[in-house]
Amino acid sequence: MLGCLNGNLGASAPNSNATLPSLLASSQTFGVQGLPQAFALGSVYGPSAFINSSVTDDPRVVSTAYRPRYMADETIVQLQLNQGLGDDFNLKLSGQYQESGVDSSQDYNLALQNRAAYAVPLNTLAFAGGGGLDGLIPGLSTYLGPVANVLIPNGPNGVVCTSAPVETNTGAYGGDAICADTPLSFDRSNQTNNAWVFEGLVSSDLPGPFNFLVGGIYADYTTTENSYYVNSFGLDYFAGVVGAFSAASNGLPPSFLASPYFRNNTTDYRLKSFGVFGEAYFDVSDQLSLTVGLRYNDDDKEVRARSTLFNFLVPYGTQDAFDSPFAAGFDADEGTDGIQQEAFRQASFKEITGRGVINYKLSPDNLIYASYSRGYKSGGINPPLQAGLGVEETFAPEFVDAFELGSKNTFGWGTLNLTGFYYKYDSLQLSRIVNRTSVNDNVSADIWGAEAEAIVRPTPQLTMNFSASYLNTEVTDDKFLSNPRDFGAGRSDAVIIKDITNGSNCAVAPGTDGNAAGAQAFVTTVNNLINGGLLPGVSPGAGLQGPTAFPSDGGIASTGAFSICSALQGVAAANGAAFDPNGIDVFLSGIPSNINGNQLPGAPEYKFAAGIQYDIHINDDVTLTPRADYTYTGSSFGSIFNTEINSIDGYSQVNAQIQLASDNGWFVRIFGQNLTDEDAVSGLYVTDQSSGLFTNVFTLDPRRYGIAAGINF
């Protein structure tokens, strides 16, 4: 099984053999690199390290060997000035400074690893690190001894240590380790931001039919640290053992590979944005009024970032990985000439937008309106990624032409508001995970629907509210993307490849449709060449097998195999015609499929809500109000790929509260949320290929009770 399949979302642990730590520390990868396979942590064809991990169907119950944490802090300082300018004008000035930080970490796989399969290689590491193999390879303990001391400080049967996610990029090899009886895998996300925002407004209150508002806004936003880490014992093991053999074979001091964990690090992000805007209001008559507005936006963005994982050797004792004498060759931006230890990107976006509204009063209590607006969301910069993954350096601004037609009405029994809308999006921004990194794409889409809301008061004490909406979404242009759950795009003649050297997937397809035999023979031949050490830079002994079928309930028509995508690509370019007259294609980012006509993710077709409350007047100043609410959210998709596995079922939620409040401003409220304890999935996303393509789901909060009190003064 190559990662999670496309047929169902059953509750199960990830397949470790599809994850980067297991792949890199496997006997197949060690064989390709010419390393002694006795040190490998297992075979990609062996049982998963999570095979005995208990996983329940309850999405709120997880297995974890790592204590999660979440820390956040925020400081906001605001200043506001309102000043009348004579009788007809008003000036409003406001400023805000915000400083915020967040740091969260949790178990990455939510499954417990079985270390039984590691017994032999850990004993081998301890034996070699203690000098047991120095008779065969003189001085080997000098290089492997530090690795054993870091990873298994109490011997092969004691705790195993995993790097802590620290900014030095040295982790356990710099003294920052987390040790446990079970091999750990976890991630960490931390971010520190600060921002200045200033706004000025001048508005009028003229006696005639014309009034206006003009203003400007300036924002300066800075991120001084934004990192995402993925740490795993398997990654540390590879960094130490492979680093040791690499240093030994080149006569270098004992070293490890840094960083020994994945880190996507933005060291500096800056956004400077300003806008000027104005609106004019015309009362054409007592019934008819017009509003028109324009806005100019100017956004400048720049970012310095890099991704690190096993990029260069670091001698033991180095305080920061980038102080290593071997860090000089690290290039964070391979697409730019020269060597840059940080990739630098900048982008500017400028746009004029506006809106117009027509209001017509049928009566003092009944209004109809029509509006048009053109909205804008600035584009941005994608993190630096290697070439061939189909990700642009920047993504375009998002535009929407929004049309609305509606009615607002007040009656003796309550209110009724009706709205119909049509939104035409150009370059709508959608995110996806590529190479363990979130990136953005642009698509065009149409959204249309209707909303209705009503408040009904049969008596002064009794209030009922109702709302309902219908939403239709559709991608409206040709956009070809690869479905991460099915890199073969449903083709039975394709072979999906799991790359043992980096954990990514690619796909092999024949130039002639339907020639499955040609593609499978090609992969088998290339794997045999790898096994025999007959390709440049490849040592013999990998033991790679040919393509095999996925499980019948996997929802994947292609076959699959472990291999090396770059090797397949090289042989296809040189000799692909020997397997298919039209050649062999290797798709590094998967075989793309057209998402034209698909629904947008997170857009349920139907929503409904109803509530009821009754005011019980205890005396002239105090009121007791019980209230109940019901909401229903219809089905939707969690991904732009509208396959069954990405569907999210509709769900209901019931809340209730009772409040005692005084006209003097104090209140006490007892509340209950999700009283039926629904555990419905409200959203989902699929992880990266190197993580095994498992799916993260978001559920409703469990049933909760609480009490709140406050006072207004």
Side-chain angles (χ1 to χ4, degrees), residues 511-524:
T512 303
D513 288 346
N515 184 15
Q520 293 175 23
F522 170 77
V523 172
T524 299

Side-chain angles (χ1 to χ4, degrees), residues 87-393:
D87 295 332
D88 299 328
F89 303 97
N90 186 72
L91 171 66
K92 180 180 179 181
L93 298 175
S94 62
Q96 174 178 297
Y97 173 75
Q98 179 179 4
E99 190 174 284
S100 61
V102 64
D103 195 334
S104 64
S105 183
Q106 68 175 20
D107 192 295
Y108 192 71
N109 298 294
L110 296 177
L112 303 182
Q113 293 189 56
N114 180 5
R115 63 178 288 180
Y118 298 169
V120 172
L122 292 183
N123 275 284
T124 303
L125 174 62
F127 183 66
L133 295 179
D134 283 2
L136 296 175
I137 308 176
L140 183 60
S141 61
T142 303
Y143 290 88
L144 288 178
V147 182
N149 291 336
V150 167
L151 299 184
I152 46 174
N154 300 327
N157 299 316
V159 294
V160 291
C161 298
T162 303
S163 285
V166 291
E167 288 78 3
T168 60
N169 294 302
T170 57
Y173 297 101
D176 297 294
I178 301 173
C179 302
D181 292 331
T182 301
L184 300 178
S185 293
F186 52 89
D187 65 2
R188 177 193 179 198
S189 177
N190 68 308
Q191 186 171 345
T192 303
N193 309 305
N194 62 73
W196 293 92
V197 180
F198 303 96
E199 185 176 38
L201 299 172
V202 175
S203 58
S204 70
D205 188 15
L206 301 170
F210 170 78
N211 275 285
F212 68 88
L213 177 150
V214 294
I217 186 170
Y218 172 80
D220 191 331
Y221 178 93
T222 302
T223 296
T224 54
E225 167 63 20
N226 183 9
S227 287
Y228 178 68
Y229 303 81
V230 179
N231 296 62
S232 174
F233 174 74
L235 298 180
D236 283 305
Y237 188 86
F238 180 88
V241 173
V242 176
F245 278 104
S246 178
S249 63
N250 289 283
L252 301 174
S255 303
F256 61 94
L257 288 169
S259 58
Y261 40 78
F262 172 76
R263 183 185 182 194
N264 189 335
N265 175 218
T266 296
T267 58
D268 185 37
Y269 170 77
R270 298 180 184 275
L271 165 64
K272 292 187 176 182
S273 174
F274 75 87
V276 292
F277 50 87
E279 284 192 340
Y281 315 101
F282 303 89
D283 292 329
V284 180
S285 67
D286 292 341
Q287 290 78 38
L288 180 65
S289 63
L290 305 176
T291 299
V292 294
L294 285 175
R295 180 183 180 109
Y296 172 74
N297 304 274
D298 189 301
D299 300 305
D300 291 316
K301 301 181 179 183
E302 62 180 49
V303 62
R304 295 185 182 276
R306 64 187 175 205
S307 290
T308 54
L309 178 65
F310 312 141
N311 301 103
F312 47 84
L313 289 170
V314 178
Y316 285 91
T318 305
Q319 297 299 310
D320 188 290
F322 279 90
D323 293 334
S324 167
F326 310 111
F330 170 72
D331 188 3
D333 190 1
E334 296 178 357
T336 302
D337 291 339
I339 293 178
Q340 295 83 29
Q341 292 201 340
E342 293 180 326
F344 176 73
R345 299 281 186 272
Q346 58 184 352
S348 297
F349 306 95
K350 301 175 176 63
E351 194 62 37
I352 295 176
T353 57
R355 74 179 189 124
V357 183
I358 300 175
N359 293 320
Y360 186 79
K361 291 184 177 180
L362 300 173
S363 73
D365 297 325
N366 305 99
L367 169 76
I368 59 173
Y369 68 92
S371 71
Y372 163 77
S373 64
R374 180 167 176 82
Y376 158 84
K377 179 181 178 182
S378 70
I381 304 168
N382 280 319
L385 295 173
Q386 69 187 70
L389 293 177
V391 176
E392 299 293 334
E393 288 185 358

